[in-house]
Amino acid sequence: MNTDIITLFKCLSDKSRLQIIKSLALEEMYVERLSERSNLSPPTVSFHLKKLEAAGIVTARKEQYYTMYALQRDALSFNILDAIVALAGNDEDDQRDEAYRQTVLKNFMEYGKLKTIPAQRKKRDIIYKEIAKSFRTNQNYSEREVNIIIADFHDDFCTIRRGLVELGLLEREKDGGVYRKTDVV
């Protein structure tokens, strides 16, 4: 499927092809008529039509002496954003991110304890997400219980608790005494 989407985007990246698509959106046409409308030579229009046909954007049918071309609207009606996201979901990026995460955890944690709180936000977020895994969802925690859990990782539980709330990993009720793990983790 990725190759089909890439072919589609390549076809749509050419200005002449977009002119042809615009003309075919109005009505079915033959090469000479498309040539007149787009100010391109008939061989150039034929070349672009073959590319569009290969991508499934245009269909061709014989009608007497002419080959009539029509826009295949189904090919253009899918959600393009979904296609971009599908292409962007790269396993190599995921592996690289996980390797970075493991490196940060290895550098800042030893025997399950946090050596120091990272100064860099990206690394601190990784550490906070790891600490947040110690909390159960759908369970209320008092501030004291939160502090005890965090103290297992580091003595500065106030800074880490505030960081967990700011990052949206824990939410605190307005009256101040109850914390709850969010679904962000």
Side-chain angles (χ1 to χ4, degrees):
M1 182 178 163
N2 285 350
T3 56
D4 296 339
I5 294 168
I6 291 170
T7 304
L8 176 67
F9 282 119
K10 283 181 180 178
C11 279
L12 296 176
S13 69
D14 187 279
K15 185 179 178 181
S16 299
R17 291 186 197 125
L18 290 175
Q19 287 177 318
I20 292 170
I21 290 170
K22 182 180 176 185
S23 295
L24 290 174
L26 301 172
E27 61 181 320
E28 291 183 356
M29 293 186 195
Y30 52 93
V31 172
E32 289 76 15
R33 179 77 175 117
L34 282 166
S35 174
E36 291 170 9
R37 288 193 67 134
S38 60
N39 292 324
L40 298 169
S41 68
T44 302
V45 170
S46 292
F47 170 79
H48 289 302
L49 284 169
K50 283 185 178 122
K51 294 280 187 184
L52 291 168
E53 197 173 0
I57 299 171
V58 169
T59 58
R61 65 176 171 77
K62 285 283 193 185
E63 188 175 290
Q64 294 181 349
Y65 301 108
Y66 298 102
T67 302
M68 297 298 290
Y69 292 91
L71 190 61
Q72 185 67 29
R73 295 182 186 275
D74 292 345
L76 298 173
S77 66
F78 71 91
N79 190 338
I80 290 181
L81 183 59
D82 287 344
I84 292 170
V85 170
L87 284 174
N90 191 341
D91 290 338
E92 291 174 14
D93 290 341
D94 294 342
Q95 290 172 352
R96 195 171 23 252
D97 289 347
E98 182 57 27
Y100 178 75
R101 184 177 133 354
Q102 291 299 325
T103 301
V104 169
L105 292 173
K106 181 180 160 207
N107 291 338
F108 286 92
M109 296 190 86
E110 190 172 71
Y111 305 113
K113 294 282 276 179
L114 183 61
K115 295 189 244 180
T116 60
I117 299 172
Q120 188 179 22
R121 182 176 182 189
K122 183 177 179 181
K123 293 176 182 176
R124 195 170 51 241
D125 290 354
I126 290 170
I127 295 297
Y128 287 167
K129 286 178 183 177
E130 189 65 24
I131 291 172
K133 290 179 182 177
S134 299
F135 295 90
R136 290 190 211 115
T137 26
N138 301 325
Q139 181 175 336
N140 292 336
Y141 294 92
S142 68
E143 187 168 303
R144 184 175 186 283
E145 291 171 319
V146 170
N147 293 344
I148 290 170
I149 292 171
I150 294 172
D152 286 341
F153 292 95
H154 195 271
D155 294 335
D156 191 357
F157 51 83
C158 292
T159 301
I160 295 174
R161 184 185 65 234
R162 188 175 338 119
L164 291 171
V165 171
E166 287 174 359
L167 195 56
L169 300 170
L170 285 182
E171 60 185 9
R172 185 175 145 213
E173 286 188 3
K174 296 206 189 282
D175 60 12
V178 179
Y179 290 82
R180 195 175 299 108
K181 182 179 179 180
T182 63
D183 295 331
V184 174
V185 180

